[in-house]
Amino acid sequence: MGVIEAIVSLLFGGQRNLIKETVEVFRENAEAASERDARYRGAALNQFAAEFAVERKGRFDRFMDALNRVPRPAMALGTLGLFVAAMVDPIWFAARMQGIALVPEPLWWLLGAIVSFYFGARHQVKSQEFQRSIAATVLRAADVSGNIASLRALAEGAGEPVHEENAALADWRAQNDG
């Protein structure tokens, strides 16, 4: 009994568990991993909450935010309205377009600059997102072509033709063409 007690106290004595400590060298402690994961997710949620926290804004700030949302929809709806006006009353529309023809060229340049600056930042963000998506697609292209080659090899190995004709479609074409 003394030898077994000495071995057990050696393995589990002194508030330690030698077997558990040895296993954790080779395998991650699932409970500790869950705790780390929970802390990580909590920190990420706190960061998102801080990022998207709604600030208490005054009337002027809310008015300016609302005003900044008006130009894009107003321009789009105004353009559609011009098309409708041209169809409903072509004479009225032609008279308005004659007035626009009298606008001096420097004023058109100024309008173009204002619209370019207003929409330029959004265009730049969208074009950068588009370039990132193209880069991600190009990176996946090698995997996709490898997968297709593997699928073709599987189909040929199973004795099935790679491009089998649809029998139902062939019957339907024969009935409707003839």
Side-chain angles (χ1 to χ4, degrees):
M1 188 80 157
V3 174
I4 294 175
E5 186 177 338
I7 292 173
V8 169
S9 67
L10 175 69
L11 293 177
F12 302 107
Q15 303 297 327
R16 323 181 29 204
N17 186 340
L18 188 62
I19 295 172
K20 177 184 165 215
E21 291 173 7
T22 304
V23 168
E24 286 179 351
V25 169
F26 301 104
R27 185 178 180 280
E28 180 182 27
N29 183 332
E31 185 177 349
S34 296
E35 288 176 14
R36 283 191 303 270
D37 189 44
R39 281 195 307 270
Y40 172 77
R41 288 175 190 261
L45 286 173
N46 288 337
Q47 179 184 352
F48 286 142
E51 247 179 79
F52 296 107
V54 177
E55 299 173 12
R56 200 79 184 127
K57 293 184 178 181
R59 285 185 186 176
F60 178 76
D61 288 334
R62 286 183 293 178
F63 174 73
M64 290 308 293
D65 286 344
L67 194 61
N68 281 333
R69 292 188 177 117
V70 170
R72 254 191 301 269
M75 290 174 72
L77 293 173
T79 303
L80 291 174
L82 287 174
F83 280 102
V84 170
M87 289 184 280
V88 171
D89 191 357
I91 304 298
W92 179 88
F93 180 78
R96 298 311 166 278
M97 292 301 109
Q98 288 301 313
I100 287 178
L102 297 175
V103 173
E105 189 173 343
L107 193 55
W108 284 113
W109 283 100
L110 179 61
L111 177 66
I114 291 169
V115 169
S116 296
F117 282 122
Y118 187 79
F119 293 108
R122 186 174 195 281
H123 173 73
Q124 182 178 1
V125 167
K126 292 295 182 184
S127 97
Q128 287 172 346
E129 288 175 3
F130 179 67
Q131 289 173 355
R132 273 193 291 273
S133 72
I134 287 177
T137 302
V138 168
L139 288 175
R140 289 191 315 255
D143 293 337
V144 170
S145 63
N147 290 343
I148 291 171
S150 299
L151 290 171
R152 284 190 175 145
L154 283 173
E156 290 171 357
E160 299 175 9
V162 175
H163 298 289
E164 184 176 332
E165 187 174 334
N166 187 336
L169 184 60
D171 289 344
W172 180 82
R173 283 185 181 150
Q175 289 174 357
N176 291 325
D177 288 340

